[in-house]
Amino acid sequence: MTNQSTGPHPEPADGAGEFNREVIAEFRARAGVVGGGLSGLPLLLLTVLGARSGEPRTTPLVHLRDGARLVVFASNGGSATDPLWYRNLVAHPEVTVEVGGERYPAVATPVDPAEHDALWARQIAAQPQFAEFRTDARTVPLVALTRA
């Protein structure tokens, strides 16, 4: 696979935490392969511009392939609030995706409510732990990433 974007990789946000920084470094060093507790999970790196800062922020996320697009889940580990990366991409939907050894620009769009539940069910079938992230108080936003 080719790197279709030019320039250096953006660094994780300062507040990303050591765990995410290590995952990002391993992902990039091993062309998308990560070990440990994340071994075997379909991961990607999503880089979005900060809603207020305008600075690039990179986050590792689990994804689900849906045809030509990738779907990510703003579960925030089951928190009652949306993750920062989701709020950032709502403000700036032009993103960069790294998956495997490939890096490319994409557009992030919220998944249409008509297809939300079917995609969520596919994700739970693939990774049952995701069922714990949805509550009656909050429907997890799903975001489709489409190559620009």
Side-chain angles (χ1 to χ4, degrees):
M1 295 188 177
T2 60
N3 179 343
Q4 296 186 357
S5 205
T6 59
H9 292 292
E11 294 302 316
D14 288 339
E18 187 62 27
F19 179 79
N20 276 359
R21 282 192 292 278
E22 289 175 6
V23 169
I24 292 166
E26 183 178 7
F27 183 102
R28 288 178 173 155
R30 299 180 62 206
V33 177
V34 178
L38 300 177
S39 180
L41 292 178
L43 292 180
L44 62 76
L45 299 183
L46 179 68
T47 300
V48 301
L49 295 180
R52 290 187 299 234
S53 71
E55 294 295 320
R57 306 291 190 227
T58 300
T59 305
L61 298 170
V62 168
H63 70 275
L64 176 71
R65 286 199 178 272
D66 185 53
R69 64 187 188 166
L70 302 175
V71 178
V72 292
F73 311 88
S75 64
N76 206 13
S79 173
T81 60
D82 293 331
L84 290 175
W85 65 262
Y86 177 74
R87 289 186 252 162
N88 288 338
L89 72 75
V90 167
H92 301 285
E94 297 79 24
V95 301
T96 300
V97 172
E98 295 174 61
V99 62
E102 189 174 18
R103 181 177 178 219
Y104 58 87
V107 177
T109 54
V111 166
D112 185 283
E115 62 180 334
H116 181 283
D117 289 346
L119 288 167
W120 185 251
R122 282 181 52 205
Q123 179 60 19
I124 290 172
Q127 295 166 338
Q129 69 272 23
F130 270 71
E132 300 172 18
F133 299 152
R134 185 171 177 176
T135 66
D136 292 336
R138 178 174 177 265
T139 299
V140 173
L142 307 187
V143 178
L145 305 172
T146 305
R147 189 183 295 264

